[in-house]
Each structure stands twice: as C-alpha cells, then as structure tokens.
C-alpha cells in the first residue's frame, strides 16, 4: 500500500503462523505507520484490491483491517475519494506536562481557542482544591484545544487570584504551564485522577461529538516548589483522539 504523495510503499507483511488474526496484524502495522508519521494526516491509501494481492490476503480481510482504524478515528472513508488518514491518536504520558507541550512534541500542531478568561466565585469543589474560601474570586481559564484542525480537548483551569497575569492572546499562542513558568512559578508536583464519562450536550457541541459520546476526564491539582496550590484543572478529552499512557513497575 502506498499513500498518495509518496513513492515508497509501506513495508507491510503478515505472519500466517501467528495466532494473531491476519486483519489485526495488518491493522497494527497501518496504525504504527500513522503514529510514526509515515502515513500523514490527509494521505490517501492505495487500492485495497492491490494491497490484498500484494499480501496474499482476501479483500474482506484488508477491508476489516482498515475498518478497525476507521472505528478508532484514525482514518475515514470518503465517497468518491477513498480511505484517508485523518490523524494519529494523541498518546499522553502521565507526567507533569501540559497538553500543548505534548501535542507540539508529537508534531500535532496544537491550536487554542480561549472560551473564557475571567474571574468567578469559587464553587465548593474549586475552593477545596485551591485551598480558598468558597465564594471567593478565583481566575478561570477555559480553552478548546485542537490538533490538525480538529478538537481534542476542553480544558478548564482555576487559579488563585493574582497568581499570574494571563492575556487571552498569550493563552491562544502557547500553553498555560509555559506562561506560569514565565511568570516565575516553579511547577513541582501534582495530584491527578483520570476517568471517563458521557459527553454533555454542551461538551459535545464544542468537541464535535454526539451527546453521550465517551470522553476521558482528568482532574489535576498542581503545586509549586513551596507546596502552594497553583492550579486546579478539570479537563475532558475525545476518547477517539486521546489516550493516557501508564508505565507500571513491579514492586520488589
């Protein structure tokens, strides 16, 4: 299979002695090509019949492999165009980093739209996280983060009042953590929880999803090097576009 715009075919093969289904072997190789940038967003895949003949597979097997990636949101079938690579899924390590930095490091071309940059009374949840009195004024920043022109996440961050000056144009040009560091804040550690839930109608509208679509959730309380709480983040991510990665170690 050759992506339109490149002269070199992808090095694809299948192992018929493996217990792994042939369609899944092919799907894994195509997914790796997308993740590694060998199949770039917008690339059109070659003819399924040619690929089937090249690998000695049936056309339904090739179609099932490609459908696996369509279901994951990595590719899309367009009538009259063919199968096209949409994007790679964002795989984010669980460490104290910003989504902007992670997207940029992965070559995902992040873009930000600031939906709100204001102050508001702290709810009980926000007050408890920031260690302030309920109802006191806190800084709220709400942003829509996109990659390759598609929404990825809805980010809501609360900060203590007067912590750092955040201009909307700066928030749309770079990441929040970069601005905090530029403001003299040394980020040290965080307490974070990850979950999942269905999208509300409002979230679905912003993220270009259907109401009730699965979303990943993340809440984070971040501390500086003095132990002071400097941020409470409450974020939701499109499950088809985003994954958290864990590294697990065996206890000695």
């Amino acid at each position: 299979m050759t992506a339109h715009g490149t002269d070199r075919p992808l090095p694809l093969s299948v192992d018929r002695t493996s217990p792994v289904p042939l369609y899944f072997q092919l799907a894994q190789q195509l997914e790796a090509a997308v993740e590694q940038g060998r199949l770039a967003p917008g690339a059109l895949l070659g003819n399924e019949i040619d690929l089937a003949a090249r690998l000695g597979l049936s056309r339904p097997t090739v179609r099932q492999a490609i459908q696996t990636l369509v279901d994951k949101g990595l590719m899309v079938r367009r009538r009259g165009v063919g199968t096209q690579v949409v994007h790679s899924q964002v795989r984010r390590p669980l460490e104290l980093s910003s989504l902007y930095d992670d997207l940029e490091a992965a070559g995902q071309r992040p873009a930000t739209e600031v939906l709100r940059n204001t102050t508001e009374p702290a709810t009980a949840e926000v007050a408890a996280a920031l260690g302030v009195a309920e109802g006191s004024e806190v800084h709220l920043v709400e942003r829509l983060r996109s990659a390759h022109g598609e929404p990825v996440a809805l980010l809501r961050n609360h900060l203590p009042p007067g912590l750092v000056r955040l201009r909307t144009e700066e928030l749309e040009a770079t990441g929040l953590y970069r601005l905090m560091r530029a403001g003299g804040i040394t980020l040290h550690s965080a307490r974070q929880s990850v979950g999942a839930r269905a999208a509300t109608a409002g979230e679905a509208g912003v993220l270009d999803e259907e109401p009730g679509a699965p979303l990943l959730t993340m809440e984070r309380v971040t501390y500086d090097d003095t132990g002071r709480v400097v941020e409470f983040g409450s974020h939701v991510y499109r499950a088809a576009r985003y994954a958290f990665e864990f590294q697990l170690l065996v206890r000695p």
Side-chain angles (χ1 to χ4, degrees):
M1 176 172 285
T2 303
H4 288 199
T6 179
D7 297 327
R8 293 182 297 176
L10 294 174
L12 303 172
S13 63
V14 294
D15 181 0
R16 297 181 182 278
T17 66
S18 171
V20 179
L22 297 177
Y23 87 89
F24 191 72
Q25 292 183 44
L26 178 56
Q28 285 184 311
Q29 293 174 69
L30 291 174
E31 182 172 358
V34 174
E35 298 292 350
Q36 295 165 10
R38 289 181 287 132
L39 282 176
L44 292 173
L45 300 187
N47 190 288
E48 292 179 6
I49 298 177
D50 292 342
L51 179 61
R54 173 183 154 194
L55 297 176
L57 299 174
S58 67
R59 189 177 180 185
T61 297
V62 173
R63 180 171 289 273
Q64 186 177 8
I66 293 175
Q67 187 61 45
T68 298
L69 302 188
V70 171
D71 293 341
K72 285 187 173 184
L74 300 180
M75 298 182 181
V76 64
R77 298 184 189 274
R78 302 189 189 279
R79 186 179 299 275
V81 176
T83 304
Q84 189 173 27
V85 177
V86 180
H87 44 56
S88 60
Q89 188 181 49
V90 180
R91 298 182 181 275
R92 185 177 184 185
L94 279 182
E95 58 186 36
L96 187 51
S97 62
S98 73
L99 175 58
Y100 188 95
D101 291 341
D102 291 335
L103 288 171
E104 191 172 67
Q108 294 275 345
R109 298 201 303 271
T112 305
E113 178 185 354
V114 175
L115 305 179
R116 287 192 288 174
N117 182 18
T118 186
T119 59
E120 68 174 16
T123 63
E125 179 186 27
V126 171
L130 294 180
V132 300
E134 183 176 351
S136 62
E137 291 292 304
V138 294
H139 196 151
L140 166 66
V141 175
E142 187 174 35
R143 296 159 294 157
L144 176 64
R145 181 65 45 74
S146 300
H148 293 301
E150 292 195 14
V152 175
L154 180 61
L155 313 174
R156 185 177 293 110
N157 299 80
H158 286 91
L159 297 85
L163 180 71
V164 62
R165 187 173 182 181
L166 298 172
R167 298 183 178 90
T168 296
E169 57 271 22
E170 293 175 333
L171 287 165
E172 292 187 336
T174 189
L176 175 62
Y177 280 6
R178 290 186 185 181
L179 294 175
M180 293 173 71
R181 291 187 179 101
I185 298 169
T186 302
L187 303 176
H188 179 268
S189 60
R191 178 167 44 84
Q192 178 170 288
S193 62
V194 176
R197 62 172 173 80
T200 66
E203 291 166 342
V206 172
L207 292 171
D208 195 22
E209 290 280 4
E210 294 294 328
L215 298 178
L216 294 175
T217 66
M218 187 271 281
E219 288 192 351
R220 174 187 285 179
V221 177
T222 306
Y223 305 85
D224 69 5
D225 56 347
T226 69
R228 174 183 55 166
V229 177
V230 293
E231 175 234 1
F232 171 53
S234 180
H235 305 166
V236 292
Y237 306 83
R238 297 175 66 187
R241 292 284 285 109
Y242 201 85
F244 288 103
E245 288 191 340
F246 299 79
Q247 182 178 10
L248 305 178
L249 301 176
V250 176
R251 285 187 177 180

